[in-house]
Amino acid sequence: QRARSQFAQAVADLAARPQSIDTLRSAGVVCLLRPLLLDVVPSIRQTTALALGRLADYDMDLAEAVVKAGILPQLICALPEENRYYKKTAAFVLRAIAKHSPQLAQAIVQCGALEMLVICLEDFDPGVKEGASWAFGYIARHNPELSQAVVDAGAVPLLVLCIQEPEIALKRIAASTLSDISKHSPELAQTVVDAGAIAHLAQMIPNPDAKLKRQVLSALSQIAKHSVELAELVVEAEIFPVVLTCLKDSDEYVKKNGATLIREIAKHTPELSQLVVNSGGVAAVIDCIGSCRGTVRLPGIMTLGYVAAQSENLSMAVIVSKGIPPLVVCLIEEHEDHIKAAAAWALGQIGRHTAEHARHVAVANVLPILLDIYVDTRSSEDLKMKASIFRALKNILQKCTYLPALEPLLHEAPPNIMKHIIGQFSKVLPHDSKARRLFVTTGGLKKVQEIKAEPGSLLQEYINTINNCYPEEIVR
């Protein structure tokens, strides 16, 4: 007995050290441990499970070796009768295997482990519940089918009970698992909602524990993102204005997840966007973008774009709340293309409604900055980035009649953008004598004569319209 105990303990200790793993692997240690899982001494069974869990946790090959050795049925065969230490360790083994791939998680489902994990979720000991919640999360996060298997096993109502327990660690893991279940589809999110999760999650938004707040905000986001109905249910749990305090949190992930939740609500309808504006959400998001850096800004940037896209009035609300300057800062400061592209998209959504909207964007010097990014050779490798910058420029240019902002672009714009700029001049100049005079004195008309346009093309038509505004000798 002592020898068996020492052997299991020694392997468990070695498995915790990355440098020993290859030696253990080549010694075929998984098969050596297998008989000890059925040992008569509980502490040996538990230490053996711990060793297997640590091995499986290390990499996918070892996790597969544990499954192939037929260890899973042995691990869980007498789980309900085992003590809490063994239950915790068994849940750790299942989690360590499930995390690597959908196929390994499927192997856990097939051996009947979910029913055993549900028994653990009903255990009196919070540590056992936590271990089971964690294992369910690692299984559910892979795909809708595995998530559905977790739902079918009856885990959701028990997870909702877990978020009501006093232990913070248990609340965190259970909220995280509900988030992993909800993220895949409206139907899965609905099962979480039907179990009464929203009200309990919403009550925890003011909780001082940052890690818990991250998970709670994530779970509510994963529910709200799927449909208008689900987003409205989240809003009805009175998350405004309390969720706005998260945007001022010292924890970056709380900020990011808070902004993500607001984004997932605002994107659905003008009414939900209006609700965000009325509760002070847009102003709070703008402050948040100003106070952080990098990817934490991204959901806030997207929120402003979604709100502005909904209607002229909502776009004006973003402008009045001074939403344009921080977006311009993101275009200049951020190095990552996807953040620049998001800021460009949001500015395009703000400017695309009317001439006045476009003017507000143009006055903030957005057009030359966008053009620089577009022309910049470095960003030419990323075609998606180039396309999103082009769309943003086009959205703003098609409405912009503020000529002082357009004129400098005549000297550096590539042909596909030049067409839109010349188009705007051809709309404004025929009806505005002051603009016509300025266009000559600033050299704009001269520049137009240098443009090579295909005969009969739209661009040639625009140029003819402009030239027709002037006496022929001036054009010559």
Side-chain angles (χ1 to χ4, degrees):
Q1 181 179 327
R2 183 185 295 166
R4 297 199 306 279
S5 181
Q6 284 173 343
F7 176 73
Q9 191 60 56
V11 175
D13 292 343
L14 285 167
R17 302 187 201 129
Q19 63 271 29
S20 323
I21 295 281
D22 285 331
T23 319
L24 291 171
R25 197 195 312 253
S26 51
V29 78
V30 171
C31 295
L32 298 175
L33 288 170
R34 189 181 163 196
L36 295 179
L37 260 189
L38 301 177
D39 202 280
V40 288
V41 182
S43 64
I44 294 177
R45 291 201 295 276
Q46 192 213 327
T47 313
T48 304
L50 179 62
L52 287 164
R54 284 177 178 168
L55 290 164
D57 197 42
Y58 182 75
D59 71 9
M60 199 157 152
D61 295 341
L62 281 163
E64 279 171 354
V66 171
V67 173
K68 285 200 183 99
I71 279 171
L72 289 177
Q74 288 186 0
L75 179 77
I76 59 170
C77 61
L79 198 62
E81 289 81 60
E82 294 282 0
N83 66 26
R84 59 191 180 150
Y85 301 109
Y86 183 87
K87 283 179 178 155
K88 272 190 235 182
T89 313
F92 165 60
V93 179
L94 296 173
R95 174 181 108 217
I97 294 170
K99 76 173 190 183
H100 294 291
S101 73
Q103 293 74 23
L104 284 165
Q106 186 59 43
I108 288 173
V109 175
Q110 277 164 343
C111 77
L114 297 191
E115 291 70 21
M116 293 301 175
L117 284 170
V118 165
I119 292 170
C120 291
L121 269 189
E122 293 170 315
D123 199 273
F124 180 71
D125 183 85
V128 174
K129 285 195 182 91
E130 193 186 317
S133 296
W134 215 344
F136 274 128
Y138 272 109
I139 294 165
R141 70 176 51 170
H142 289 294
N143 61 40
E145 294 73 37
L146 286 162
S147 215
Q148 189 62 52
V150 170
V151 171
D152 295 342
V156 173
L158 296 168
L159 288 164
V160 173
L161 286 173
C162 287
I163 58 175
Q164 299 166 62
E165 293 280 344
E167 291 79 17
I168 287 283
L170 178 55
K171 283 178 187 286
R172 283 181 197 155
I173 305 292
S176 162
T177 301
L178 289 170
S179 177
D180 283 328
I181 294 169
S182 307
K183 72 181 181 185
H184 300 289
S185 72
E187 295 73 27
L188 285 160
Q190 190 65 53
T191 60
V192 172
V193 173
D194 292 343
I198 291 180
H200 297 295
L201 288 166
Q203 280 163 5
M204 292 190 285
I205 295 174
N207 192 296
D209 183 79
K211 285 186 181 149
L212 175 58
K213 263 196 286 212
R214 289 178 194 174
Q215 302 304 345
V216 164
L217 293 165
S218 164
L220 289 168
S221 305
Q222 299 291 11
I223 293 168
K225 75 178 183 184
H226 294 291
S227 69
V228 181
E229 296 73 35
L230 287 165
E232 282 172 349
L233 289 171
V234 172
V235 169
E236 280 161 21
E238 298 183 353
I239 59 162
F240 290 106
V242 63
V243 70
L244 304 182
T245 58
C246 298
L247 301 183
K248 293 189 168 68
D249 202 276
S250 55
D251 184 278
E252 298 280 275
Y253 289 100
V254 171
K255 272 187 186 174
K256 188 178 179 187
N257 292 3
T260 303
L261 175 53
I262 296 169
R263 176 190 78 195
E264 298 300 11
I265 289 166
K267 73 179 186 186
H268 291 292
T269 63
E271 292 73 28
L272 284 166
S273 271
Q274 188 66 57
L275 186 137
V276 170
V277 172
N278 293 352
S279 66
V282 165
V285 166
I286 291 167
D287 289 345
C288 179
I289 296 173
S291 72
C292 54
R293 296 278 173 280
T295 47
V296 183
R297 283 174 157 171
L298 197 57
I301 294 170
M302 303 287 287
T303 303
L304 296 183
Y306 279 128
V307 172
Q310 301 281 12
S311 73
E312 285 180 24
N313 290 348
L314 285 162
S315 180
M316 205 34 100
V318 174
I319 294 170
V320 172
S321 305
K322 302 194 170 45
I324 295 173
L327 290 171
V328 177
V329 169
C330 293
L331 276 182
I332 299 167
E333 275 186 3
E334 291 296 339
H335 302 302
E336 295 201 41
D337 276 0
H338 66 280
I339 303 177
K340 278 191 202 279
W345 170 78
L347 288 162
Q349 298 307 316
I350 295 169
R352 76 186 174 87
H353 296 284
T354 68
E356 177 162 11
H357 289 80
R359 182 189 171 122
H360 280 288
V361 176
V363 170
N365 203 31
V366 168
L367 293 167
I369 295 170
L370 284 174
L371 196 59
D372 283 347
I373 298 172
Y374 183 74
V375 176
D376 181 29
T377 45
R378 272 191 319 246
S379 62
S380 65
E381 283 96 64
D382 186 359
L383 292 173
K384 221 161 99 188
M385 165 79 167
K386 233 174 155 60
S388 52
I389 299 286
F390 177 69
R391 276 196 303 274
L393 273 164
K394 194 170 137 190
N395 273 338
I396 301 162
L397 287 171
Q398 281 175 337
K399 287 285 187 271
C400 186
T401 55
Y402 181 60
L403 301 190
L406 294 177
E407 194 133 346
L409 306 182
L410 279 175
H411 303 287
E412 49 189 293
N416 55 347
I417 292 173
M418 185 66 85
K419 183 173 77 185
H420 297 290
I421 299 170
I422 299 289
Q424 291 311 99
F425 278 107
S426 73
K427 279 185 206 159
V428 177
L429 293 172
H431 316 291
D432 187 336
S433 57
K434 187 172 166 216
R436 286 201 293 275
R437 266 204 314 282
L438 270 171
F439 196 56
V440 178
T441 53
T442 54
L445 189 61
K446 180 170 184 288
K447 178 70 189 162
V448 169
Q449 308 316 311
E450 294 163 12
I451 294 168
K452 306 272 185 286
E454 296 280 320
S457 66
L458 193 57
L459 180 55
Q460 189 60 59
E461 263 181 59
Y462 291 153
I463 292 172
N464 294 344
T465 308
I466 292 171
N467 288 344
N468 291 341
C469 298
Y470 295 96
E472 204 177 313
E473 62 273 14
I474 294 187
V475 175
R476 277 212 300 279

